[in-house]
């Protein structure tokens, strides 16, 4: 109950205190610098709808919801990740279901508040864009649109917490984008890809491996084709310095590409596990990648 009360207070005090801003600004900004390709929702304007089912209200209003809290995964017996807000639309040709994660239990409360603030603001903005697009489609006559967003805990160890967040837009075809946050729970820091390495030599090392792996997969399976744009003869060139990534429980680096980034849409989100031994000379240390 103490944790729930604590999360309710953090939720009510949604603005990040100014004195915490400098503490987490660099880490959060680095985690958001990876450039994404525009999705069908990126340019819509904003307005938050009343369809939000709030976590705290749900506990008070629904015994079933309260009982479901026993299924919240406990990470490292300290850190918890759970859904704090769900935003929905259910109409004949428009559907949306957007679940917002929240983290509780980090010793670095500044980082925890900043991440939770980011998750709430991003999902509310996405939901608002969705409603704005519905209004635009209705004004034009009609349309079909779907949006699904949520999260998955990719790694849950005593040391590492990696959270994946996805956005899937459906308008005729579908498009999925991913974002990841990887946290060192023992040292209470948000990890970035460059922070794992001595210098930028890791970019070339990872590029070489991914190109070789793409070629190997295509040779073994004729249904696999790595193209930047479906139908275009454009080969993979390079990862971004802040490419999306997470770290597995086995201390392996996984590089992630959004749907359509490096392959036709039917292949979905693309990930590559990078063998740790090829990274050893470039790593700052073996704390995270082994």
């Amino acid at each position: 109950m103490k944790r729930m009360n604590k999360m309710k207070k953090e939720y009510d005090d949604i603005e990040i205190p100014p004195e915490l801003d400098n503490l987490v600004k660099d880490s959060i900004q680095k985690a958001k610098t990876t450039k994404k390709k525009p999705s069908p929702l990126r340019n819509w304007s904003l307005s938050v709808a009343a369809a939000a089912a709030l976590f705290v209200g749900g506990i008070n209003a629904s015994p079933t919801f309260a009982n479901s809290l026993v299924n919240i995964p406990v990470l490292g017996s300290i850190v918890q990740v759970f859904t704090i807000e769900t935003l929905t639309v259910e109409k004949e040709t428009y559907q949306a279901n957007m679940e917002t994660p929240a983290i509780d239990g980090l010793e670095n409360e500044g980082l925890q508040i900043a991440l939770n603030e980011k998750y709430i603001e991003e999902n509310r903005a996405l939901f608002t864009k969705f409603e704005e697009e519905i209004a635009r489609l209705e004004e034009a006559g009609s349309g079909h649109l779907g949006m699904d967003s949520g999260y998955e805990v990719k790694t849950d160890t005593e040391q590492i917490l990696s959270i994946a967040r996805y956005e899937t837009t459906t308008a005729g075809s579908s498009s999925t984008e991913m974002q990841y946050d990887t946290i060192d729970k023992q040292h209470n820091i948000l990890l970035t890809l460059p922070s794992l390495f001595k210098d930028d030599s890791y970019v070339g090392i990872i590029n070489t491996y991914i190109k070789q792996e793409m070629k190997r997969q295509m040779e073994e399976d004729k249904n696999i084709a790595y193209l930047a744009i479906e139908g275009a003869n454009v080969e993979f060139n390079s990862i971004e310095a802040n490419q999306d990534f997470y770290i597995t429980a086995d201390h392996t680096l996984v590089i992630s590409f959004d749907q359509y980034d490096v392959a036709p849409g039917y292949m979905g989100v693309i990930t590559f596990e990078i063998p740790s031994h090829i990274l050893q000379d470039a790593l700052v240390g073996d704390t995270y990648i082994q």
Side-chain angles (χ1 to χ4, degrees), residues 19-252:
E19 61 269 22
L20 294 176
D21 188 52
N22 289 334
L23 176 66
V24 297
K25 183 177 180 181
D26 290 341
S27 292
I28 298 301
Q29 186 60 39
K30 287 179 181 178
K32 296 171 69 177
T33 51
T34 301
K35 294 183 178 179
K36 300 283 189 179
K37 57 176 176 44
S39 76
L41 295 180
R42 290 298 188 199
N43 297 319
W44 301 342
S45 54
L46 309 179
S47 163
V48 175
L54 299 184
F55 177 79
V56 175
I59 294 175
N60 295 330
S62 170
T64 301
F65 186 84
N67 290 335
S68 73
L69 295 178
V70 299
N71 295 319
I72 293 175
V74 177
L75 307 177
S77 302
I78 298 175
V79 179
Q80 295 178 326
V81 179
F82 55 88
T83 301
I84 196 169
E85 184 175 72
T86 302
L87 308 171
T88 61
V89 169
E90 189 62 45
K91 298 182 180 180
E92 184 176 356
T93 59
Y94 309 113
Q95 291 84 36
N97 187 75
M98 305 180 186
E99 295 185 345
T100 306
I103 303 171
D104 183 35
L106 291 180
E107 292 183 10
N108 185 338
E109 291 193 4
L111 177 60
Q112 177 173 292
I113 291 171
L115 288 170
N116 290 341
E117 162 77 5
K118 179 179 72 167
Y119 299 154
I120 291 169
E121 286 189 350
E122 286 180 350
N123 234 25
R124 286 182 176 180
L126 191 65
F127 186 77
T128 302
K129 293 174 183 180
F130 181 82
E131 288 218 321
E132 281 292 322
E133 181 62 7
I134 290 177
R136 188 188 67 79
L137 291 172
E138 288 294 290
E139 185 177 349
S142 64
H144 292 76
L145 190 64
M147 165 56 66
D148 184 34
S149 71
Y151 64 96
E152 176 186 359
V153 176
K154 303 294 291 186
T155 302
D156 163 12
T157 69
E158 291 294 328
Q159 182 181 36
I160 294 294
L161 169 63
S162 283
I163 303 174
R165 291 173 293 123
Y166 62 86
E167 302 172 10
T168 299
T169 307
T170 304
S173 61
S174 65
S175 176
T176 300
E177 296 185 1
M178 302 292 298
Q179 297 184 71
Y180 302 85
D181 287 314
T182 295
I183 301 163
D184 178 339
K185 295 189 290 184
Q186 294 178 349
H187 296 92
N188 289 282
I189 56 174
L190 181 66
L191 301 177
T192 66
L193 192 58
S195 72
L196 302 175
F197 298 96
K198 300 173 184 176
D199 51 40
D200 62 3
S201 63
Y202 70 93
V203 174
I205 297 171
I206 293 174
N207 286 343
T208 297
Y209 174 78
I210 289 178
K211 289 176 181 179
Q212 292 172 346
E213 182 63 12
M214 285 178 169
K215 182 178 180 181
R216 183 193 67 79
Q217 291 181 19
M218 288 189 291
E219 289 175 348
E220 293 185 359
D221 188 343
K222 65 181 181 180
N223 294 315
I224 292 178
Y226 286 104
L227 305 173
I229 302 174
E230 189 169 6
N233 187 22
V234 180
E235 296 183 355
F236 165 74
N237 183 34
S238 176
I239 64 168
E240 300 287 341
N242 272 311
Q243 186 71 36
D244 284 321
F245 79 99
Y246 66 93
I247 298 172
T248 70
D250 295 328
H251 300 278
T252 300

Side-chain angles (χ1 to χ4, degrees), residues 223-283:
N223 294 315
I224 292 178
Y226 286 104
L227 305 173
I229 302 174
E230 189 169 6
N233 187 22
V234 180
E235 296 183 355
F236 165 74
N237 183 34
S238 176
I239 64 168
E240 300 287 341
N242 272 311
Q243 186 71 36
D244 284 321
F245 79 99
Y246 66 93
I247 298 172
T248 70
D250 295 328
H251 300 278
T252 300
L253 176 67
V254 178
I255 295 294
S256 178
F257 297 94
D258 289 341
Q259 187 176 13
Y260 294 100
D261 271 2
V262 296
Y266 71 83
M267 290 184 61
V269 173
I270 304 294
T271 59
F272 293 94
E273 287 197 10
I274 312 301
S276 297
H277 71 272
I278 70 172
L279 300 172
Q280 286 181 351
D281 290 341
L283 291 167

